[in-house]
Amino acid sequence: MKVHIETMGCQMNVLDSEILRSLLASAGMELVDDALSADVLLYNTCSVRDQAENKVHSHLGRACGKKANGREIVIGVLGCMAQRFGTELIKRHRGVDIVAGPGQLGRLVELIQLVTDGQGPQVALDSSRNKTHADDVVEFLDHYRDPNRCHLPGQAYVRIMRGCDKFCTYCIVPYVRGPERSRPPDDIIEEVRRLVDAGVTQVTLLGQTVNSYHSGSTGLADLLSRLDTVAGLKRVRFVTSYPGDFDRAIFQAMRDLPKACEYLHIPAQSGSDNMLRAMGRRYSRGEYDDLIAAARQTVPGIAIVGDFIVGFPGETQADFDASADLIRQSGYRNSYIFKYSPRPGTTGAKRLADDIPEDVKRSRNRELLAVQQEVSLADNRALTGQTVEILVEGPSPRANRQPNSQNQLVGRTRTDHIVVFDGAKNLAGQYANVKITNATALTLFGQL
Ligand code: SAH
Ligand code: SF4
Ligand code: F3S
């Protein structure tokens, strides 16, 4: 049986698809890149914004259309949208056979089997947030992953926690990914060892609020210390941090541990206290500023990355200006900027009217991007002339072959700066020292 998996959404989904590929392959199924040749089409979906969901609906519309025209395929919807819509997906798209929540990946082989045996559509959802955490052990399927199936050569995502308890008023994640649960540190260390044995040298620890990680007395700083002792591992990153109750010991760990990278993704969402309050973020602008100042003071050369939402209900020009001001002041290496999208079921969508017109959202989005581009350009230019160590990912996506039979490659520094340079293809997964010769807002260019 040939299976194709289409992955949308965040790193959590990328990792879940990796785990799923391993599980399906060990059950004898063949994973194919080409959707047209597949017998089973699986969509690992995201609900974070309306746009992400619309994309899936149109994929499903097309796939179900082909099925109605006689193609025999099994169609499955997995992940956050599956959890949010449940059986409704089967009613809306005749032809969908499987709906499975993010904690149900371990059952997928069985669900596909039931469908091909003629048992009809299968729906497997995660238990509601209020239930006990009895199924947690089953949910941490991460160690079943084949260490040779990572998203990039020499790099791996490692989940250290699941779910979220913060309930920011705009966000669907706590509803679809369930309550916050941390994975025991021994399991994490063992998984990292296995990955390193298979050639991985850089791991990115994943959690929705990764700095809240705690298992018994082990917090994120302790976990970073333990990972620092894993022989053969070179770099450790973690995403995404939540700016409330941030343990400053994490900054000391980043400064003192050779493997902990000087990289912090810590979304502010807004620079205005009014908006932060309405968003249910549990920190003020002043506290956020202090945190960033502490990070810069403790960790020399740290790169900080943010997220912003523009057009949240009630956002005035002054609120928006405060976000632009925060970007200028923070010196972010990069920011991800999103237009507010009301998510049904969240307190924001229930209590606050989506009152900022689409064209205002669009122009604020553009404006904030432009401010960030200036800041990114200054940040990147400061690196020109320096020699940096990069981990090579592989051919640059826009690789145009060079006449001298060299290839345009792309790699990343410890601070996650993107560097494009010419080199041999077999450098993928290796470390190289590159001298930075040129910079744009998005990319550094250099020479080996
Ligand atoms: N756990 C991460 C964020 C997960 S969602 C954190 O707390 O930082 C990724 C990003 O999507 C968020 O940082 C936010 O900027 C954006 N986002 C989430 N819900 C959104 C919504 N309803 N509309 C627009 N952007 C949203
Ligand atoms: Fe969503 Fe807030 Fe949790 Fe991040 S911290 S996943 S934005 S609810
Ligand atoms: Fe999207 Fe789910 Fe991730 S909603 S951002 S795929 S946790």
Side-chain angles (χ1 to χ4, degrees):
M1 202 153 22
K2 291 181 176 171
V3 188
H4 174 78
I5 307 177
E6 196 79 43
T7 306
M8 282 142 275
C10 64
Q11 293 104 326
M12 286 283 177
N13 271 11
V14 173
L15 175 56
D16 281 340
S17 290
E18 253 171 63
I19 296 166
L20 189 58
R21 283 196 186 91
S22 305
L23 293 173
L24 298 178
S26 61
M29 297 182 195
E30 185 191 344
L31 279 307
V32 294
D33 290 334
D34 170 27
L36 288 174
S37 68
D39 310 303
V40 182
L41 276 178
L42 300 176
Y43 298 92
N44 196 3
T45 60
C46 174
S47 280
V48 84
R49 281 170 291 275
D50 200 37
Q51 214 183 7
E53 293 193 336
N54 288 339
K55 208 165 119 190
V56 174
H57 284 306
S58 63
H59 269 296
L60 290 176
R62 252 174 286 140
C64 292
K66 283 189 190 139
K67 194 165 169 174
N69 286 332
R71 252 198 81 195
E72 275 192 36
I73 33 172
V74 175
I75 301 174
V77 187
L78 321 174
C80 297
M81 243 178 111
Q83 185 65 25
R84 186 164 103 72
F85 286 91
T87 41
E88 202 187 313
L89 279 172
I90 293 176
K91 289 185 201 131
R92 185 151 164 189
H93 299 282
R94 296 206 162 266
V96 168
D97 302 288
I98 296 170
V99 178
Q104 305 297 314
L105 300 184
R107 290 193 54 204
L108 224 72
V109 172
E110 174 201 342
L111 297 173
I112 295 172
Q113 201 66 59
L114 288 168
V115 170
T116 53
D117 285 351
Q119 303 290 310
Q122 302 293 320
V123 179
L125 300 178
D126 300 355
S127 52
S128 87
R129 284 192 59 98
N130 315 327
K131 275 252 188 91
T132 60
H133 299 182
D135 51 354
D136 288 1
V137 183
V138 190
E139 273 197 38
F140 277 107
L141 287 168
D142 304 50
H143 52 280
Y144 286 113
R145 151 169 64 164
D146 174 353
N148 298 304
R149 273 180 197 279
C150 291
H151 64 290
L152 283 169
Q155 306 190 22
Y157 292 135
V158 173
R159 183 169 8 233
I160 64 170
M161 54 198 293
R162 276 185 172 274
C164 181
D165 288 344
K166 296 287 191 275
F167 288 95
C168 303
T169 58
Y170 51 82
C171 186
I172 196 75
V173 171
Y175 303 88
V176 289
R177 288 273 166 168
E180 183 188 301
R181 293 140 288 171
S182 291
R183 197 176 168 199
D186 290 349
D187 282 14
I188 298 169
I189 303 288
E190 194 203 306
E191 188 184 350
V192 171
R193 287 221 173 91
R194 286 202 314 127
L195 288 162
V196 170
D197 285 345
V200 166
T201 59
Q202 174 181 300
V203 297
T204 303
L205 309 177
L206 300 186
Q208 296 297 349
T209 55
V210 73
N211 52 309
S212 323
Y213 173 85
H214 68 104
S215 174
S217 59
T218 307
L220 182 61
D222 309 307
L223 186 64
L224 291 171
S225 300
R226 285 192 62 181
L227 285 168
D228 211 65
T229 65
V230 176
L233 183 65
K234 285 198 66 164
R235 290 178 174 181
V236 182
R237 291 207 188 101
F238 53 88
V239 290
T240 309
S241 292
Y242 181 80
D245 359 285
F246 193 102
D247 178 6
R248 311 278 161 122
I250 297 169
F251 293 150
Q252 281 139 26
M254 291 168 93
R255 177 193 60 200
D256 298 337
L257 302 170
K259 291 174 189 173
C261 291
E262 301 73 24
Y263 173 82
L264 187 67
H265 182 187
I266 190 152
Q269 310 299 359
S270 171
S272 149
D273 279 334
N274 290 335
M275 288 297 102
L276 290 174
R277 215 171 301 118
M279 289 174 171
R281 301 286 281 183
R282 304 171 198 183
Y283 53 88
S284 64
R285 166 70 184 270
E287 284 163 345
Y288 186 85
D289 288 347
D290 288 349
L291 189 64
I292 299 304
R296 292 214 184 275
Q297 199 172 26
T298 312
V299 192
I302 192 170
I304 300 175
V305 171
D307 291 3
F308 285 89
I309 295 176
V310 294
F312 189 80
E315 186 186 60
T316 63
Q317 184 63 38
D319 293 323
F320 171 74
D321 290 343
S323 292
D325 169 70
L326 174 53
I327 292 182
R328 280 195 198 92
Q329 170 198 317
S330 68
Y332 288 120
R333 197 216 73 198
N334 186 24
S335 294
Y336 299 95
I337 298 159
F338 306 103
K339 289 181 291 178
Y340 173 64
S341 165
R343 304 287 65 220
T346 60
T347 46
K350 278 190 240 170
R351 295 201 194 133
L352 306 166
D354 182 18
D355 59 358
I356 307 296
E358 180 59 28
D359 58 325
V360 176
K361 284 184 186 171
R362 210 176 306 130
S363 71
R364 286 182 180 172
N365 193 347
R366 254 196 319 255
E367 208 177 310
L368 222 48
L369 268 174
V371 174
Q372 179 59 54
Q373 284 222 330
E374 274 173 46
V375 174
S376 298
L377 184 61
D379 173 66
N380 274 350
R381 282 206 175 132
L383 285 171
T384 51
Q386 291 189 27
T387 298
V388 291
E389 185 200 55
I390 57 165
L391 172 54
V392 183
E393 292 182 354
S396 155
R398 22 165 227 162
N400 42 342
R401 279 187 170 276
Q402 305 293 300
N404 56 4
S405 89
Q406 294 248 323
N407 297 283
Q408 199 173 54
L409 302 179
V410 63
R412 302 229 182 198
T413 65
R414 286 173 66 88
T415 47
D416 209 40
H417 283 83
I418 302 169
V419 182
V420 170
F421 66 104
D422 288 343
K425 260 193 200 154
N426 61 7
L427 281 176
Q430 308 289 314
Y431 290 82
N433 288 316
V434 172
K435 185 169 181 190
I436 304 303
T437 52
N438 209 348
T440 66
L442 278 180
T443 313
L444 295 163
F445 297 88
Q447 276 171 352
L448 267 179

